[in-house]
Amino acid sequence: MISEFELIRRYFTHRAQGAVLGVGDDAALVRVKPGCELAISTDMLVAGQHFFPDADPVRLGHKALAVNLSDMAAMGAVPRWVTLALALPQVDPRWLAGFARGFMALARRFKVDLVGGDTTRGPLNICVHILGEVPRGRALRRDGAKTGHDVWVSGTLGGAALAVAAGKGRIALNRSERKVCADRLDLPEPRVALGVALRRVASSAIDISDGLVADLGHIAEESGVGAVIGLDLLPRVAAMTRHAGSMIAREALLSGGDDYELCFTAPANRRAAVAAIGRRLGLVLTCIGSVVRAPGVTHRVMVLDRDGRPVDPDRAGFDHFK
Ligand code: ADP
Ligand code: MG
């Protein structure tokens, strides 16, 4: 059985590229660029709650970091440093090697340094803490949406939720649909470059982790406005085509979490600028509606079908305590 220190050394000690001091001392040391603010966020993944205990460790390593990078993206921040707190039921070298591989591959791709953490025995639990830099006053917040602004979303929606629905036997996906949706669920691509590009264009932003209606609702609430979006305008994952009419597909689009796309608002006169960013990044950006005066405090987000009739977004997103 390897010791805790050997485990940290073997799997989680990497030369820090962008930190003054990384893993190995009582604390890491980092230097923030002059003129920048620190963006700080934490996301925890609990076995049985956020993933199956037998989930592929490589994909889990990717996801644990990706959801944190996504929070930086949603702030328009450049992710720089992460710490990793792990509770492990046992030391399983194969699991650890896989997890570290998935985690570190993504960290390298985004030039993020793993600078510290904590390792303890306990029920499988993965907690990542992330620090990023954003020029002073330029962060994308949830409270900047104004009446008349457009509502945008990146990429496609619903894939991750379809994978979950298929896992529960609620929908039958064919092989290729299953693969696409499973990748959307397990291997989200954090939209960091988009967040940075939107700093001077967007008036608010959020990453979609709990479902479009719920997360856009957070923007609306923080900004003291409402939003009207068109069901037919929502960019859907291609795997949804065959199931377009189904209740589950609609639910996946409106309330499905875990897609980690960005939802943002921007003044209508910045449409060309947003489109240019999409072209430059090779990322589909879709205008799905607009910001309106708050229609009411309970239903801040109104979804209209193609005939302009309101759709009841049955489940408004995932809430762990509901
Ligand atoms: P302390 O007793 O001061 O908390 P630890 O023995 O827990 O120190 O950790 C030793 C070093 O290893 C510290 O620099 C800590 O940040 C780092 N570390 C511990 N666990 C991890 C991990 N899972 N990933 C990365 N670094 C870790
Ligand atoms: Mg410790």
Side-chain angles (χ1 to χ4, degrees):
M1 174 72 88
I2 66 173
S3 73
E4 177 191 331
F5 302 104
E6 174 58 16
L7 183 160
I8 294 166
R9 196 195 59 74
R10 192 181 296 176
Y11 299 106
F12 300 114
T13 305
H14 301 265
R15 246 178 69 85
Q17 306 287 318
V20 180
L21 187 62
V23 169
D25 213 309
D26 293 306
L29 298 172
V30 302
R31 202 172 285 148
V32 182
K33 271 200 211 89
C36 278
E37 288 168 342
L38 267 186
I40 305 173
S41 175
T42 304
D43 248 321
M44 183 153 63
L45 295 182
V46 179
Q49 187 71 22
H50 301 98
F51 62 89
F52 296 111
D54 62 352
D56 173 44
V58 182
R59 292 163 89 88
L60 205 51
H62 174 103
K63 183 150 183 177
L65 179 56
V67 300
N68 281 274
L69 294 174
S70 177
D71 281 323
M72 294 292 106
M75 296 301 290
V78 175
R80 296 295 313 276
W81 308 285
V82 287
T83 65
L84 169 64
L86 271 180
L88 302 168
Q90 76 264 324
V91 176
D92 174 349
R94 256 201 51 216
W95 190 93
L96 277 162
F99 180 85
R101 185 146 53 85
F103 191 98
M104 292 312 300
L106 192 63
R108 272 190 298 275
R109 187 144 71 77
F110 281 87
K111 299 190 167 61
V112 165
D113 275 316
L114 176 62
V115 295
D118 202 18
T119 309
T120 167
R121 189 182 294 270
L124 184 55
N125 187 343
I126 306 159
C127 186
V128 175
H129 186 70
I130 190 160
L131 300 161
E133 290 174 325
V134 59
R136 193 177 300 155
R138 300 240 66 98
L140 298 173
R141 301 164 40 143
R142 297 179 178 182
D143 60 3
K146 299 267 189 309
T147 305
H149 287 187
D150 292 327
V151 178
W152 295 81
V153 73
S154 67
T156 61
L157 300 177
L162 282 194
V164 173
K168 292 181 179 159
R170 293 182 62 212
I171 193 168
L173 300 180
N174 66 32
R175 239 176 111 110
S176 77
E177 290 167 346
R178 217 165 43 228
K179 160 102 177 72
V180 170
C181 292
D183 284 356
R184 293 289 292 160
L185 178 64
D186 297 343
L187 302 173
E189 179 65 21
R191 303 302 188 192
V192 170
L194 175 61
V196 169
L198 288 175
R199 276 178 200 156
R200 287 178 181 281
V201 180
S203 49
S204 73
I206 191 167
D207 65 328
I208 303 176
S209 56
D210 295 334
L212 174 65
V213 170
D215 288 320
L216 177 55
H218 293 315
I219 286 185
E221 189 167 332
E222 292 303 317
S223 300
V225 295
V228 178
I229 58 175
L231 183 60
D232 279 3
L233 300 177
L234 304 183
R236 46 209 80 198
V237 63
M240 201 175 273
T241 328
R242 231 163 42 87
H243 313 274
S246 78
M247 195 58 207
I248 290 176
R250 177 190 280 196
E251 221 176 84
L253 274 178
L254 294 176
S255 345
D258 271 329
D259 281 314
Y260 294 96
E261 293 295 346
L262 293 190
C263 175
F264 57 96
T265 61
N269 63 12
R270 304 309 306 276
R271 272 177 206 165
V274 175
I277 290 169
R279 278 194 303 277
R280 177 164 67 76
L281 299 178
L283 180 60
V284 178
L285 302 178
T286 310
C287 183
I288 60 167
S290 50
V291 178
V292 296
R293 248 182 299 159
V297 274
T298 46
H299 284 91
R300 287 192 178 266
V301 178
M302 184 130 90
V303 184
L304 301 180
D305 68 13
R306 86 178 54 159
D307 302 319
R309 278 190 308 251
V311 173
D312 181 21
D314 255 349
R315 291 170 47 240
F318 194 73
D319 179 333
H320 284 276
F321 295 100
K322 259 195 190 144

